[in-house]
């Protein structure tokens, strides 16, 4: 079974600084997707960024980028130029690429606070 | 707005009540999910429906009864719940192939008294 581990329960960053959120996962599959989701106090889970395991290039979306280390099964999220609106819970998630198993497996999440 | 709508947003019910949560998506997705999010615990997958067929039931107690009448609608029928069932219930949908990220509704905050 796949597992996703986020070992840091909380992190804090100064506004305009950079922060990295860690995630590791375990799977026996070679082809899969990885995601970072953001859940602000409004509770809406929003996709931040996705990575396909067959792609070596790290995904980027504006101020958000990932460091995907497939051999180490590590998938960290870097937030550059942090903004107050980035304060939220962040969840790392895994999904098999094959359509037969469509479920997302989530980590426990990390609460990110942004200091003004 | 993600295209997935959940109603109601808040629900308070007694342990002997029967209520239903509703989820609707207009994204053309063919998979829908119920997740439970309790304080201090990871997101727990409850049920998965692919093309209206239930493909996963993660040992959920029978007091939770899902229904998926079509690919756009998903219900969670609740009866004789316990206080420990109080949580945020999230619905999500996705495609099975192609772009596979899940889109979530805003959740129903359920309180069992």
């Amino acid at each position: 079974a796949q597992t996703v581990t986020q070992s840091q329960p909380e992190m804090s960053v100064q506004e305009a600084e950079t922060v990295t959120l860690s995630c590791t996962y375990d799977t026996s599959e070679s082809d899969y997707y990885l995601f970072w989701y953001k859940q602000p106090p409004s509770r809406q889970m929003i996709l931040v960024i996705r990575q396909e395991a067959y792609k070596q290039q790290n995904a980027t979306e504006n101020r958000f980028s990932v460091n995907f280390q497939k051999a180490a099964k590590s998938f960290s999220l870097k937030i550059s130029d942090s903004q107050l609106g980035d304060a939220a819970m962040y969840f790392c998630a895994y999904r098999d690429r094959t359509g037969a198993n469509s479920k997302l497996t989530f980590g426990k999440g990390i609460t990110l606070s942004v200091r003004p | 707005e993600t295209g997935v709508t959940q109603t109601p947003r808040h629900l308070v019910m007694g342990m002997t009540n029967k209520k239903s949560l509703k989820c609707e998506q207009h994204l053309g997705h063919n998979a829908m999910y119920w997740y439970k999010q309790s304080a201090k615990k990871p997101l727990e997958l409850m049920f998965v429906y692919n093309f209206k067929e239930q493909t996963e039931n993660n040992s959920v107690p029978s007091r939770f009864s899902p229904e998926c009448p079509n690919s756009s609608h998903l219900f969670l029928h609740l009866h004789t719940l316990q206080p420990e069932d109080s949580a945020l219930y999230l619905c999500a949908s996705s495609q099975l192939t192609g772009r596979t990220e899940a889109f979530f509704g805003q959740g129903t905050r359920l309180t069992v008294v």
Side-chain angles (χ1 to χ4, degrees):
Chain A
Q2 293 82 9
T3 59
V4 177
T5 302
Q6 293 178 256
S7 56
Q8 308 154 303
E10 296 178 349
M11 285 197 75
S12 180
V13 63
Q14 189 74 37
E15 195 175 5
E17 297 294 309
T18 296
V19 64
T20 299
L21 311 182
S22 302
C23 173
T24 58
Y25 60 94
D26 190 25
T27 182
S28 58
E29 301 291 329
S30 61
D31 201 6
Y32 47 86
Y33 298 97
L34 295 165
F35 308 91
W36 278 98
Y37 280 87
K38 170 185 177 182
Q39 187 180 37
S42 67
R43 307 180 328 206
Q44 182 95 59
M45 291 277 273
I46 304 164
L47 178 70
V48 176
I49 200 165
R50 70 197 289 266
Q51 174 80 42
E52 287 122 320
Y54 68 88
K55 289 186 178 179
Q56 292 186 338
Q57 186 172 11
N58 289 324
T60 63
E61 287 286 341
N62 300 316
R63 298 182 295 107
F64 299 89
S65 62
V66 300
N67 183 3
F68 174 48
Q69 302 288 326
K70 191 173 184 179
K73 296 180 180 174
S74 169
F75 182 60
S76 60
L77 174 70
K78 185 171 83 171
I79 306 174
S80 304
D81 186 25
S82 297
Q83 300 175 359
L84 295 177
D86 295 333
M89 276 204 77
Y90 287 81
F91 293 91
C92 178
Y94 166 101
R95 177 183 161 163
D96 284 341
R97 185 177 174 84
T98 56
N101 185 1
S102 63
K103 69 178 184 181
L104 281 169
T105 300
F106 285 88
K108 289 184 179 181
I110 177 171
T111 301
L112 176 67
S113 58
V114 181
R115 305 186 300 276
Chain B
E1 180 59 49
T2 62
V4 181
T5 304
Q6 285 187 246
T7 53
R9 294 288 307 279
H10 301 272
L11 178 63
V12 179
M13 60 186 288
M15 289 189 283
T16 58
N17 291 159
K18 288 186 180 181
K19 296 285 184 184
S20 296
L21 310 185
K22 180 182 176 182
C23 177
E24 189 172 354
Q25 60 94 4
H26 297 288
L27 301 169
H29 291 164
N30 42 33
M32 295 189 78
Y33 317 82
W34 280 116
Y35 284 87
K36 176 183 178 182
Q37 187 177 23
S38 305
K40 312 273 185 203
K41 293 177 75 174
L43 274 161
E44 301 171 58
L45 179 66
M46 300 175 73
F47 302 103
V48 180
Y49 278 83
N50 293 340
F51 295 105
K52 301 187 301 177
E53 298 298 319
Q54 187 181 126
T55 57
E56 185 143 351
N57 175 340
N58 259 3
S59 302
V60 181
S62 59
R63 57 187 183 268
F64 294 91
S65 175
E67 179 189 1
C68 188
N70 54 62
S71 294
S72 299
H73 293 85
L74 184 65
F75 295 89
L76 187 63
H77 303 299
L78 316 171
H79 63 98
T80 60
L81 294 191
Q82 305 298 312
E84 59 265 29
D85 296 322
S86 299
L88 180 67
Y89 289 85
L90 291 166
C91 172
S93 70
S94 74
Q95 289 284 28
L96 285 173
T97 57
R99 292 194 67 85
T100 56
E101 59 264 34
F103 291 78
F104 284 81
Q106 289 188 293
T108 295
R109 173 70 65 190
L110 174 67
T111 304
V112 182
V113 297

